[in-house]
Amino acid sequence: MSPSTHQISSNLDLDNLPHFDLSTFRHDSITYHKEDSSYWFYEKSKQSFPGQSFGLQVEEILYHAQSQFQDILIFKSTTFGNVLVLNGIIQCTEKDEFAYQELITHLPIMSHPSPKKVLVIGGGDCGVIRELIKHVEDGTVEEITMVEIDDMVIKLSTKFLPEMAKYHNHPKLNLIIDDGFAFLKNSVEKYDVIITDSSDPDDGPAEEFFQINYFKLLLNALNEKGIVIMQSSENIWLNLEYLKSLKTKASTVFNNVKYCQCYMPSYTSGQLGLIIATTDSSKDFTHPLRSFSREKESKLFKYYNEQVHCMSFVLPTWAENYLNNN
Ligand code: SAM
């Protein structure tokens, strides 16, 4: 199949978006503080992180709507740049997005001997695509398919997160607007690397990505010795039990499963974990197969480097014991 860019279908007119007046805007996540007349976004989840909340001061509401799939809020913060929020949960901020995008992309690509064909599930802000294009440019990756359920997220990202979405139209990108789970159920294609860059499981369209059946679909869509990686939606401070259960689910399908993590100040508790897996039991994820010169590395990446690759698998003692020692 030769890559082609599918037209994004939502009839959102990016040049004529409504204006949102912060003083009259109402949203469950936004609170007005009378003492200094400031507005704050607070990320809340009774299910995933009861009793704690990350907050950002809001300068301007850039967009808000209920799409067919989720509540989409985009605001300009005073210190983290523009922020994309889906169903009340931060997806990315301009200040720190590169940490997550780089790790979830470069870990599997640099661990695979020849990652020619890559599938991204979710990924509407297109940050992972931006990172994958670096490997297209160095001749490693040949074809990228991205399956995102909500074309509004892509369109809005081109306007409000332009640095992340700059390659949404790249000729090597085959963009498909569909449910990633349904796509994998019906697909007969095989990939070398599959990156699941989805939103969290609670109350949204990404729920099915955190179940055993999804790992089975991933396995079915992988070439021999292929690698999958997904955001785990939790981190070691928030819910070790959940991470252990996700790792256990992945291990029922893949015999080599590792947990790794990156610093992300805008994700609850300041970290995000990833699950990386393959059926190749001899694969050592903790060391990249290829490396760049120091100079090239620091031109290409802001977060990723060879040491970061290795260190992202190192866990503090209590988490290592709980997650990795039976
Ligand atoms: N980095 C983010 C994080 O870890 O929270 C994920 C960002 S990306 C914006 C998540 C994307 O997954 C969203 O654009 C959402 O629409 C998409 N998504 C959720 N469920 C999906 C599904 N079933 N199929 C395809 N895409 C889905």
Side-chain angles (χ1 to χ4, degrees):
M1 186 180 59
S2 71
S4 64
T5 303
H6 291 226
Q7 204 55 44
I8 299 172
S9 61
S10 107
N11 51 13
L12 192 68
D13 180 358
L14 290 178
D15 295 324
N16 287 299
L17 293 178
H19 171 73
F20 296 89
D21 180 351
L22 191 50
S23 65
T24 54
F25 182 73
R26 297 285 172 271
H27 191 278
D28 284 352
S29 312
I30 307 250
T31 302
Y32 175 62
H33 288 276
K34 214 168 163 189
E35 60 281 10
D36 60 358
S37 307
S38 63
Y39 290 85
W40 285 72
F41 164 85
Y42 290 110
E43 188 182 53
K44 285 174 246 156
S45 167
K46 278 194 182 130
Q47 208 176 326
S48 298
F49 39 91
Q52 76 176 82
S53 175
F54 175 69
L56 284 173
Q57 189 173 349
V58 179
E59 211 168 286
E60 189 186 345
I61 301 297
L62 299 172
Y63 188 76
H64 175 250
Q66 182 73 38
S67 80
Q68 196 188 337
F69 304 99
Q70 50 211 344
D71 182 274
I72 304 178
L73 171 67
I74 305 178
F75 67 89
K76 182 177 177 196
S77 67
T78 54
T79 50
F80 274 65
N82 292 350
V83 182
L84 168 66
V85 177
L86 298 178
N87 290 340
I89 302 294
I90 293 177
Q91 303 295 302
C92 50
T93 82
E94 285 182 311
K95 180 184 169 112
D96 64 353
E97 53 83 10
F98 61 91
Y100 168 87
Q101 316 294 340
E102 290 191 16
L103 206 70
I104 197 170
T105 306
H106 306 310
L107 277 185
I109 295 292
M110 300 297 276
S111 299
H112 193 287
S114 180
K116 290 188 166 46
K117 230 175 130 178
V118 181
L119 174 66
V120 180
I121 300 285
D125 50 53
C126 298
V128 166
I129 300 303
R130 178 194 65 202
E131 295 308 311
L132 283 170
I133 295 303
K134 295 174 182 172
H135 300 281
V136 169
E137 286 170 352
D138 76 11
T140 316
V141 170
E142 293 177 355
E143 199 182 310
I144 307 166
T145 300
M146 182 169 102
V147 185
E148 161 63 51
I149 201 167
D150 195 342
D151 59 358
M152 274 183 78
V153 178
I154 304 175
K155 262 196 146 180
L156 290 162
S157 298
T158 65
K159 182 160 179 89
F160 296 117
L161 300 165
E163 175 52 29
M164 292 181 75
K166 64 185 179 184
Y167 292 129
H168 75 283
N169 256 332
H170 195 281
K172 290 282 181 189
L173 173 64
N174 176 29
L175 179 59
I176 296 171
I177 304 303
D178 196 359
D179 175 352
F181 194 84
F183 171 85
L184 278 178
K185 255 180 163 169
N186 300 324
S187 169
V188 289
E189 294 284 323
K190 302 278 183 197
Y191 302 89
D192 301 310
V193 170
I194 305 179
I195 299 172
T196 305
D197 178 24
S198 76
S199 29
D200 290 346
D202 318 344
D203 300 332
E207 216 172 331
E208 290 184 293
F209 297 144
F210 298 82
Q211 307 302 336
I212 289 180
N213 276 347
Y214 184 62
F215 291 109
K216 289 183 181 161
L217 289 178
L218 289 175
L219 176 65
N220 196 41
L222 271 188
N223 280 323
E224 206 192 336
K225 302 203 173 181
I227 296 176
V228 297
I229 190 162
M230 70 187 290
Q231 70 103 343
S232 68
S233 108
E234 298 279 353
N235 68 49
I236 56 173
W237 291 103
L238 283 180
N239 200 340
L240 259 180
E241 267 174 46
Y242 175 86
L243 289 180
K244 179 126 183 164
S245 77
L246 189 63
K247 204 170 159 249
T248 304
K249 285 179 194 168
S251 306
T252 62
V253 176
F254 295 95
N255 54 9
N256 187 347
V257 180
K258 284 255 179 269
Y259 174 81
C260 55
Q261 55 184 359
C262 62
Y263 303 116
M264 280 299 291
S266 67
Y267 287 158
T268 314
S269 287
Q271 268 184 331
L272 192 76
L274 305 166
I275 297 278
I276 187 166
T278 180
T279 54
D280 176 4
S281 50
S282 65
K283 159 70 54 201
D284 176 10
F285 285 123
T286 65
H287 289 90
L289 292 182
R290 294 179 295 286
S291 58
F292 297 102
S293 67
R294 271 281 185 201
E295 201 192 346
K296 179 139 192 228
E297 206 172 55
S298 66
K299 261 194 197 146
L300 281 176
F301 312 124
K302 271 167 93 176
Y303 185 88
Y304 180 87
N305 61 45
E306 204 174 335
Q307 286 82 0
V308 162
H309 182 123
C310 307
M311 291 300 292
S312 66
F313 292 92
V314 177
L315 299 182
T317 306
W318 106 96
E320 172 67 21
N321 284 342
Y322 189 84
L323 271 184
N324 294 331
N325 301 333
N326 294 324

